[in-house]
Amino acid sequence: MGRGGEAVTEAVPALGVSGVSFGYGRRADGAAFAIRDIDFQVGEGEFTALLGVNGAGKTTLLAVITRLFDAGSGSVKVCGFDMGKQPRDALARMGVVFQQATLDLDLTVRQNLSYAAGLRGLAKADYAPRIDMLLHRFALAERAGDKVRSLNGGHRRRVELARALLHRPRLLVLDEPTVGLDVPSRRALVEHVHALCREEGVAVLWATHLFDEILPEDRVVVLDRGRVVATGSVPEIKARADAPSLDRAFHALVGRNAA
Ligand SMILES: Nc1ncnc2c1ncn2[C@@H]1O[C@H](COP(=O)(O)OP(=O)(O)OP(=O)(O)O)[C@@H](O)[C@H]1O
């Protein structure tokens, strides 16, 4: 109850990760878990960067969140739906851009998107205007009839982004989506995804090891050797490490240089 006695409804986070651990089997160095006791939330319309060096456990964590792997323990909830118990409801509210591109190079941009929409069970009357809207939003409309093979890396990434949004997810998960892109393409992708958060209230979890992809208004989850070592807004993370920049705060928190 609120202070005046009125009922207070807690906002359901777009993503809730609670007590999640996962291991690939005991390794030569004796470590049993790749990620351990992970807890954090991503609120509606929030951009959260999952920040960690190579090997910190970002891809493993995203694999558990997207249900490629079953969590060894703990729970993942998407808009309140438990990934273990209600996977269909949870997955219906999530869009994913994996690290490796998975477009068909010999289909056009529109064919790739139409095919994916059909697989999702969307009706053509619904998905055709949605595809037009997404192509426009990501400045791809003029390339709709071109084969993906003829697109540069940045444009291909934006087609994958559009594909991940066809079913109107409330949570978008991206695993180091700028790998291999040049600086202008990287910047454009970062801009497009932040605009999506601001303008459409889509929650974003963006895995990265690059500080310049994180804006001052973003939230950050710092992952180090499979554990969350800090979460909060950029100013909170800087204050916690008593550092003048996110870069310096990160190095202070993980106690070694980022890759
Ligand atoms: N298939 C696997 N089998 C065994 N160990 C693995 C496997 N995949 C990852 N690991 C180990 O789990 C740990 C976390 O790796 P993970 O790929 O999740 O990190 P990451 O932060 O995504 O790194 P990168 O940026 O290089 O992808 C590392 O120690 C890695 O060696």
Side-chain angles (χ1 to χ4, degrees), residues 111 132 164 199 217 235:
Q111 284 169 336
D132 284 337
E199 293 161 18
E217 67 269 26

Side-chain angles (χ1 to χ4, degrees), residues 24 27 34 52-61 99 175-176 209:
Y24 293 97
R27 301 183 320 207
V53 297
N54 293 334
K58 304 182 296 297
T59 297
T60 304
L61 177 54
Q99 205 172 99
D175 189 1
E176 305 206 43
H209 63 275

Side-chain angles (χ1 to χ4, degrees), residues 23-33:
Y24 293 97
R26 195 165 287 279
R27 301 183 320 207
D29 62 4
F33 293 99

Side-chain angles (χ1 to χ4, degrees), residues 12-105:
V12 177
L15 175 66
V17 178
S18 173
V20 164
S21 300
F22 182 87
Y24 293 97
R26 195 165 287 279
R27 301 183 320 207
D29 62 4
F33 293 99
I35 50 171
R36 187 86 196 253
D37 297 330
I38 306 288
D39 284 303
F40 70 93
Q41 295 187 344
V42 180
E44 185 85 356
E46 269 177 14
F47 185 107
T48 294
L50 178 63
L51 182 64
V53 297
N54 293 334
K58 304 182 296 297
T59 297
T60 304
L61 177 54
L62 295 194
V64 172
I65 289 172
T66 57
R67 206 172 175 249
L68 280 176
F69 301 156
D70 285 328
S73 62
S75 75
V76 172
K77 288 186 181 174
V78 180
C79 300
F81 293 101
D82 189 297
M83 192 58 88
K85 296 178 190 142
Q86 303 151 289
R88 189 188 292 247
D89 289 312
L91 288 168
R93 286 159 181 80
M94 179 191 290
V96 185
V97 177
F98 290 109
Q99 205 172 99
Q100 298 299 329
T102 55
L103 296 167
D104 188 317
L105 300 182

Side-chain angles (χ1 to χ4, degrees), residues 122-203:
L122 303 177
K124 190 165 186 183
D126 182 29
Y127 73 65
R130 176 79 178 156
I131 288 174
D132 284 337
M133 190 282 278
L134 289 166
L135 290 175
H136 182 71
R137 177 173 248 296
F138 298 129
L140 288 165
E142 288 177 7
R143 309 303 305 267
D146 294 345
K147 285 191 177 177
V148 167
R149 191 179 293 283
S150 71
L151 268 53
N152 68 27
H155 284 104
R156 290 182 191 187
R157 267 312 194 191
R158 271 142 59 187
V159 178
E160 296 210 293
L161 186 55
R163 185 180 59 183
L165 294 166
L166 285 168
H167 59 300
R168 299 180 172 82
R170 299 311 300 156
L171 171 69
L172 180 65
V173 176
L174 308 100
D175 189 1
E176 305 206 43
T178 62
V179 164
L181 300 188
D182 59 19
V183 172
S185 301
R186 221 152 66 70
R187 231 175 254 144
L189 195 69
V190 169
E191 293 266 316
H192 277 299
V193 175
H194 278 87
L196 193 70
C197 271
R198 276 194 305 271
E199 293 161 18
E200 296 190 21
V202 176

